[in-house]
Amino acid sequence: MSTFGISNASRWSWRPSGKRVLFALSLSLFLVACAQEGASGSDSDSAVDADHPRLWVTAADVPRLRAWATSNNPIYQQGLKPLAEEAKEAMDAELVPGEDHGGNTWVEYPSEMYAELFAFMSLIEADPDDRQDYAERARTLLMYVIDEAAKGQAADQPFRDPEFATSDRSRWWGESFALTTDWIYPHLSTGDKATIRQVFLRWADENERAEITAFNHPEPSGVLNDPVLVEDPIAVRWAANNYYTAHMRSIGLMAMALDPEDDPGGELRSHLASATGAWLYVIDHLLRNDGSGGLGAEGFEYSPQSLGYVAQFMLALQSAGEDANATEWGPQVVLADNPFWGQAVPAYLHSLSPEPTVFPEIDWRGEVYQPAWYGEGQDYLAADFMELFGPLGLYRMAEGDQDGLEAIRWLQTHVPPGGEGTLVERVEDAETFRDAILYFMLFDTSEAAPSDPRPALDTTHYAEGIGRLLARTDWSEEASWFTYSLGWTTIDHRHGDGNTFEFYRNGEWLTKERTGYGPNISASDYHNTIALENDAPDHNSPSDYRHSLWQRGSQWVYVASGDGRVVDMSLADDFVYALGDATDLYNSEYELSTDILHASRSIIWLKPDRIVVFDRARSRTAERFKRFWLNLPTDPVIDGKLSVATTEQGQQLFVTTLLPADAVVTGEPAEALEEDGEPANNEPMNYRLRVEAPGGPQEANFLHVLQGADAGAVADAVELVQSESGTSFTGAVFGETVVLFPVDLDESFDRLSYLVPAGTVRHLITGLTPGAAFEVSSEATAQGLRVIVQPGAGSSADDGGVLDLGF
């Protein structure tokens, strides 16, 4: 139910105290006064004038939206209309604004959110009296907040705290003030607009100078459309932060809300130059470079919000016609010109499991998709991202991009929890009324149901900016699915997940990261990568997150010496390969923790069921642990170098450890971090496999072969292969396939000779110079097939440095 639903029914039957009677009387007088003053400056029969609405909705849109607001439209009749009726009941019961304490973070009845809903209903309702009633309600709530805020800053006072316009509340519902102002503009008096302008000017200035987190705003201040704004790459990356993008949205929407005659000297509108020429300039640069590829840098918990705020601002630019003023504001105001936004929907679809599932603990939510999660997370499931995809869909609609619109309509129909069957319910029960409004605006229910866009997509997607690869065998529900990630960790909500990989088949994860939110679960040992003991950090208090990362041998977040680097990648029809160097992620010059000389991973997924992983680790100091970690759904059974995990449905994951030769292999339950609230709800990985190089040698290599298999299947016979002469390579042979990796990435290739069983048909040699040509010869011996590879004419490595040979 929505926030004012059944759980609050008993509160509506209060016997009013003297204080409440006084409040009710005051509110009634205020409503009457507002209605009288508002009517004097409005067209009581119309919710629009020549210039309003213009933010998200235009005057030209209003007839179409009113035509959708009928009993024939279930999203309206069973969703938006009941939501608005319940909102009116909440207001009539004095819950709003009566129980809005005016704080900076969560409140049960945020006045501005209710005002936004009422303002929207004042546009779309067919009956003029209903429109007038909704407009008066919206004005009452808007001015209730504005009149308090107009008294000036005052710490801990309702609606007046210095962080009211910049903290969490402004992220969650901050668009409401400008949208409400625009949508009920004819109902606002000249005095209302003057007070709104006074408050908007202060709030815009506070957003321009906010100090909520790190790198809060573009620098240097006052500079517009200048490359100096993007000279500091760390500052640019912080433009992905949810506060940063929310501040831009607030500044930009407020700057566009008032007409010139109500903004003397254009002082409020002048902030639009900053919102576009500084804030959006930096964000646009990020999304073309270190954030490219369609996935947000903060992960699935926060990126839909942070990107949603950008999309909401850009939709407003488009609807107000400001994106046509690229000469004035800069080319970044045209959403369609940045490739990121065309990649966002495919990237999200690639991040979803091939089929939905039902989690027993939350079976009331119905089927949910399991995402390839990254970054912090509190609930492991694919949530409703209407705040991002709604604005994108409306932009596509306005631009006449029917294919793009249909893809978003399909996504928003089928992907949120419960799927198609809960579409209308999501509108009626919307916790954030903005989402209900966007649902109504997005869907024309008279049209045919949108078709599934996924089969037309490639089977791989690489978000290069954050180094995230998503690959699958096909788009059927039976598909196998593989992910790999290596990027940067210098902003909020990132984890030490460089060189992580995950594997899904037949409806289940066989291995994945352990999703969660907190300093322990963010460490590398929960992200299917290696852990390497380093020097103790300079800041080493047991209560400091860096202490936990150091103890676990994790990569550093925030303070790593540099980024992870994908050296090479091959995306072939039947295999995916990556070589990633994560050395700089394990070191932190800032923390004086710099003992790791090398940390890299070569990994190849042979579709559909086999993965070979080779890790290299080297440190200056001996007797420091080096470990390979793998998260599993169940406790593995270990027999020598073979470990087997069996899923609830009976699938098997065979893990063969070939290196180190004397590895200590153990299984263990995932730590009980529930007291810290760290593991995400519904997280399926509850056990771990640990492979340790005994004695903590200065140098250790880990080599593993993973095999996904059905119940009753037998593990492959797997053998170690090492080069006989020439450049040092090592790898594994299984069935008719051998995979080889270079041992030392600094060693240049001159010649390779190796011996494999005679029945080995396919040879995959990785780590070579991309596109280089090689002469290959072979001979049958009593011991097997000897292969010699050296530079020359004949066979060529692909663009990822993989030489694929058949014998």
Side-chain angles (χ1 to χ4, degrees):
M1 295 295 294
S2 53
T3 54
F4 42 77
I6 294 174
S7 63
N8 294 314
S10 61
R11 301 170 65 187
W12 297 351
S13 59
W14 298 323
R15 182 174 181 178
S17 65
K19 184 177 179 181
R20 290 201 175 274
V21 169
L22 180 61
F23 173 82
L25 178 60
S26 299
L27 180 61
S28 297
L29 293 172
F30 181 66
L31 284 168
V32 171
C34 289
Q36 291 173 344
E37 184 181 6
S40 66
S42 68
D43 176 355
S44 61
D45 188 54
S46 174
V48 297
D49 64 16
D51 297 315
H52 296 272
R54 58 174 174 243
L55 301 181
W56 295 10
V57 184
T58 69
D61 295 326
V62 170
R64 171 175 53 83
L65 294 175
R66 286 183 185 171
W68 289 2
T70 69
S71 59
N72 295 326
N73 180 353
I75 290 179
Y76 169 79
Q77 186 67 22
Q78 302 168 37
L80 188 63
K81 183 177 181 179
L83 178 69
E85 291 294 331
E86 290 183 35
K88 287 166 60 176
E89 291 174 3
M91 186 173 180
D92 293 342
E94 304 175 10
L95 300 178
V96 57
E99 298 228 333
D100 184 351
H101 54 66
N104 300 339
T105 57
W106 188 85
V107 294
E108 188 170 1
Y109 298 98
S111 299
E112 62 270 35
M113 182 182 77
Y114 282 76
E116 179 180 341
L117 177 61
F118 292 147
F120 184 73
M121 298 301 291
S122 78
L123 296 177
I124 69 165
E125 282 294 319
D127 185 271
D129 291 339
D130 290 339
R131 293 202 300 271
Q132 183 70 20
D133 177 67
Y134 277 121
E136 290 172 0
R137 289 176 180 272
R139 179 182 177 276
T140 296
L141 297 179
L142 173 66
M143 297 311 297
Y144 180 81
V145 177
I146 292 294
D147 285 339
E148 285 298 310
K151 297 174 183 178
Q153 274 193 8
D156 301 322
Q157 293 301 305
F159 312 109
R160 298 172 62 191
D161 190 87
E163 292 188 355
F164 176 80
T166 60
S167 192
D168 286 329
R169 180 167 179 160
S170 72
R171 289 193 301 115
W172 297 331
W173 309 298
E175 84 291 340
S176 300
F177 293 105
L179 294 184
T180 300
T181 298
D182 172 55
W183 293 349
I184 64 166
Y185 209 79
H187 299 269
L188 297 171
S189 70
T190 300
D192 291 339
K193 295 168 188 174
T195 308
I196 291 169
R197 177 179 182 271
Q198 172 193 338
V199 172
F200 279 10
L201 280 170
R202 175 166 66 81
W203 285 352
D205 185 61
E206 289 168 0
N207 276 273
E208 296 274 17
R209 299 179 293 103
E211 295 292 343
I212 300 297
T213 185
F215 296 96
N216 290 266
H217 36 71
E219 294 286 351
S221 179
V223 174
L224 302 177
N225 291 302
D226 192 310
V228 70
L229 291 164
V230 295
E231 284 184 351
D232 182 348
I234 302 302
V236 171
R237 289 174 178 179
W238 275 91
N241 180 262
N242 52 92
Y243 288 108
Y244 192 106
T245 61
H247 295 159
M248 177 194 66
R249 178 193 64 179
S250 293
I251 296 166
L253 292 183
M254 289 188 294
M256 290 187 284
L258 298 181
D259 288 342
E261 58 268 25
D262 299 314
D263 180 25
E267 188 178 357
L268 180 59
R269 180 173 170 80
S270 69
H271 284 279
L272 187 57
S274 174
T276 56
W279 297 80
L280 186 57
Y281 181 90
V282 177
I283 292 169
D284 180 80
H285 180 84
L286 170 68
L287 298 183
R288 293 176 186 273
N289 295 283
D290 283 355
S292 64
L295 292 174
E298 287 192 314
F300 271 127
E301 183 78 16
Y302 286 95
S303 285
Q305 298 174 34
S306 55
L307 290 172
Y309 305 148
V310 181
Q312 291 162 31
F313 175 47
M314 299 200 75
L315 174 62
L317 288 171
Q318 189 272 343
S319 64
E322 300 294 350
D323 66 342
N325 295 331
T327 302
E328 178 180 0
W329 305 125
Q332 62 272 13
V333 299
V334 183
L335 180 146
D337 287 352
N338 189 324
F340 179 91
W341 299 108
Q343 298 161 341
V345 171
Y348 183 59
L349 294 173
H350 273 278
S351 299
L352 298 174
S353 55
E355 63 175 338
T357 190
V358 175
F359 287 125
E361 299 83 1
I362 53 167
D363 55 2
W364 57 273
R365 301 201 71 167
E367 291 189 328
V368 296
Y369 280 91
Q370 300 180 71
W373 199 279
Y374 64 106
E376 290 179 325
Q378 299 181 79
D379 294 287
Y380 179 66
L381 52 79
D384 187 347
F385 291 165
M386 176 56 80
E387 61 195 330
L388 168 60
F389 292 115
L392 285 183
L394 294 176
Y395 187 96
R396 303 298 180 204
M397 182 188 299
E399 295 294 306
D401 179 1
Q402 191 64 24
D403 290 342
L405 173 62
E406 288 299 291
I408 289 173
R409 282 176 169 169
W410 183 92
L411 187 157
Q412 284 299 145
T413 299
H414 296 277
V415 173
E420 183 178 15
T422 64
L423 174 60
V424 173
E425 180 183 334
R426 275 176 257 146
V427 181
E428 182 186 8
D429 293 346
E431 293 185 4
T432 301
F433 296 165
R434 173 189 61 239
D435 292 352
I437 293 169
L438 290 170
Y439 265 112
F440 174 79
M441 294 173 66
L442 184 66
F443 282 92
D444 181 354
T445 56
S446 68
E447 295 183 357
S451 58
D452 188 345
R454 296 174 297 173
L457 300 176
D458 291 336
T459 55
T460 59
H461 182 88
Y462 182 46
E464 183 175 9
I466 62 171
R468 188 155 182 81
L469 173 66
L470 303 150
R472 61 188 69 210
T473 51
D474 55 71
W475 284 100
S476 71
E477 292 189 345
E478 294 75 31
S480 292
W481 186 31
F482 170 85
T483 82
Y484 167 78
S485 186
L486 178 61
W488 45 271
T489 62
T490 46
I491 65 169
D492 277 345
H493 312 304
R494 297 292 309 206
H495 283 179
D497 60 358
N499 274 330
T500 189
F501 72 97
E502 302 169 308
F503 183 52
Y504 174 107
R505 77 187 293 273
N506 288 349
E508 294 179 292
W509 284 111
L510 274 59
T511 183
K512 65 179 285 293
E513 69 153 32
R514 193 167 197 232
T515 300
Y517 197 127
N520 298 295
I521 207 165
S522 70
S524 298
D525 52 320
Y526 279 112
H527 294 278
N528 285 359
T529 190
I530 57 175
L532 307 174
E533 185 177 3
N534 207 326
D535 302 317
D538 192 39
H539 301 85
N540 194 22
S541 167
S543 62
D544 193 291
Y545 77 96
R546 287 161 288 201
H547 177 78
S548 176
L549 294 178
W550 165 63
Q551 284 192 319
R552 296 170 178 276
S554 178
Q555 300 159 18
W556 297 100
V557 295
Y558 293 113
V559 294
S561 290
D563 304 335
R565 183 170 61 94
V566 178
V567 179
D568 283 313
M569 181 177 291
S570 294
L571 306 177
D573 289 339
D574 60 349
F575 74 85
V576 166
Y577 160 78
L579 166 59
D581 186 341
T583 306
D584 284 343
L585 292 175
Y586 287 92
N587 289 320
S588 174
E589 295 174 4
Y590 177 80
E591 289 298 330
L592 307 180
S593 183
T594 57
D595 194 60
I596 307 305
L597 296 174
H598 184 83
S600 67
R601 165 168 284 178
S602 296
I603 186 166
I604 190 166
W605 173 40
L606 300 170
K607 302 178 184 181
D609 285 330
R610 287 161 180 82
I611 301 169
V612 188
V613 192
F614 181 60
D615 292 294
R616 310 166 189 84
R618 187 168 71 251
S619 61
R620 289 187 177 88
T621 306
E623 299 183 1
R624 289 184 169 176
F625 67 74
K626 294 175 176 62
R627 297 167 181 160
F628 170 94
W629 287 98
L630 196 69
N631 293 283
L632 299 169
T634 57
D635 199 4
V637 176
I638 300 171
D639 182 9
K641 61 184 181 181
L642 178 65
S643 305
V644 184
T646 304
T647 70
E648 290 184 356
Q649 297 179 19
Q651 293 190 79
Q652 301 176 93
L653 178 65
F654 300 116
V655 183
T656 303
T657 302
L658 296 175
L659 292 175
D662 57 350
V664 178
V665 183
T666 55
E668 61 188 62
E671 294 169 288
L673 300 171
E674 284 79 6
E675 64 272 16
D676 301 316
E678 292 201 28
N681 297 320
N682 317 311
E683 169 54 44
M685 297 292 114
N686 295 308
Y687 292 85
R688 307 198 289 178
L689 182 73
R690 169 163 50 177
V691 179
E692 184 133 10
Q698 284 181 263
E699 185 169 357
N701 294 325
F702 298 87
L703 179 62
H704 291 87
V705 178
L706 285 71
Q707 175 189 351
D710 296 332
V714 177
D716 290 336
V718 180
E719 296 181 19
L720 179 68
V721 177
Q722 294 180 309
S723 54
E724 296 180 309
S725 62
T727 306
S728 182
F729 274 69
T730 192
V733 60
F734 44 91
E736 298 181 336
T737 301
V738 61
V739 178
L740 292 170
F741 308 103
V743 175
D744 186 348
L745 296 182
D746 294 328
E747 183 181 3
S748 60
F749 181 86
D750 59 359
R751 182 178 180 275
L752 168 63
S753 173
Y754 62 92
L755 186 68
V756 291
T760 307
V761 173
R762 190 176 190 186
H763 299 230
L764 292 160
I765 304 169
T766 73
L768 302 173
T769 301
F774 298 92
E775 178 185 336
V776 180
S777 60
S778 63
E779 60 175 335
T781 71
Q783 293 77 31
L785 179 68
R786 174 170 289 110
V787 178
I788 300 172
V789 180
Q790 55 193 344
S795 301
S796 296
D798 67 13
D799 56 8
V802 178
L803 187 61
D804 188 355
L805 303 173
F807 290 88

